[in-house]
Amino acid sequence: QVQLVQSGAEVRNPGASVKVSCKASGYTFTSYYVHWVRQTPGQGLDWMGIVYPTTGKTEYAQKFRGKITMTRDTSTSTVYMELSSLTFEDTALYFCARGPFDSWGQGTLVTVSS
Amino acid sequence: DVVMTQSPLSLPVTLGQPASISCRSSQSLVDSDGSTYLTWFQQRPGQSPRRLIYNVYKRDSGVPDRFSGSGSGTDFTLKISRVEAEDAGVYFCMQGTYWPRTFGQGTKVEIK
């Protein structure tokens, strides 16, 4: 069955960076792009961007440009999302989701704390 | 960006009774290909979102037929014909016609 398995919770200091992984299985990795979505209690769901596994091409939401970098490794069917220059406002649950949003990862909690 | 506005934001429902959630977009979601990309998700406590309905009314495999989606243009509705205990959670709409994808604020369905 289709599965997206994300890496575990992370804690970082302000100003640091973090890289979250999302490993796909159960389908042809290069057949679907992968989204990243942020969830915060007060702000709901925020679409962050997309990576196309075949080409590595990315598209980022305006508000996250300069903040995120999405990459992929076709040899391991894994996509990555790196957040830089972390602030307290980046504390959130981060999800990956397959193209049509028909399958989601379990979420990765990133906590920014001094 | 397209703004998605849901109402109500909180919906207490009695078991066995119907429930209805509205989602309005700031512009028409009809794509140049003629399709309308409006999706509904359910998120139970502690879980990831689950897609229930796509393209306004198409139900995902395994989704009970008490869930139905309708609407057109800028005005959409998710209906639960008879609420069951397992339906408690937050429901989100999302538009998939324009970039960036945008979500509604979420409607919390609680069982009275």
Side-chain angles (χ1 to χ4, degrees), chain A residues 10-16 86-92 110-114:
Chain A
E10 304 272 12
V11 180
R12 293 287 187 274
N13 290 325
L86 290 169
T87 69
F88 298 121
E89 288 68 38
D90 293 316
T91 294
V110 173
T111 303
V112 183
S113 172
S114 55

Side-chain angles (χ1 to χ4, degrees), chain B residues 94-111:
Chain B
M94 183 204 77
Q95 64 82 17
T97 301
Y98 303 99
W99 299 101
R101 304 310 193 215
T102 47
F103 295 85
Q105 317 97 300
T107 295
K108 186 173 184 178
V109 172
E110 59 174 8
I111 311 300

Side-chain angles (χ1 to χ4, degrees), chain B residues 40-90:
Chain B
W40 289 98
F41 299 94
Q42 174 195 61
Q43 188 175 30
R44 292 174 174 145
Q47 295 186 12
S48 305
R50 168 199 180 196
R51 195 180 74 174
L52 296 177
I53 303 278
Y54 62 99
N55 290 23
V56 181
Y57 64 89
K58 296 180 180 180
R59 201 180 305 116
D60 268 278
S61 174
V63 174
D65 60 9
R66 64 179 180 274
F67 290 93
S68 64
S70 63
S72 63
T74 61
D75 203 346
F76 305 92
T77 303
L78 175 70
K79 291 183 179 174
I80 310 173
S81 58
R82 292 172 306 279
V83 170
E84 298 192 6
E86 65 180 17
D87 300 336
V90 182

Side-chain angles (χ1 to χ4, degrees), chain A residues 33 35 37 39 44-47 50 52 61 93 95 100-102 104-107, chain B residues 39 41 43 46-51 54 60 92 94 99-105:
Chain A
Y33 44 81
H35 307 266
V37 176
Q39 185 168 37
L45 293 169
D46 240 338
W47 183 84
I50 194 170
Y52 295 84
L93 194 53
F95 292 99
F101 290 96
D102 60 347
W104 292 62
Q106 81 276 23
Chain B
T39 301
F41 299 94
Q43 188 175 30
Q47 295 186 12
S48 305
R50 168 199 180 196
R51 195 180 74 174
Y54 62 99
D60 268 278
F92 297 93
M94 183 204 77
W99 299 101
R101 304 310 193 215
T102 47
F103 295 85
Q105 317 97 300

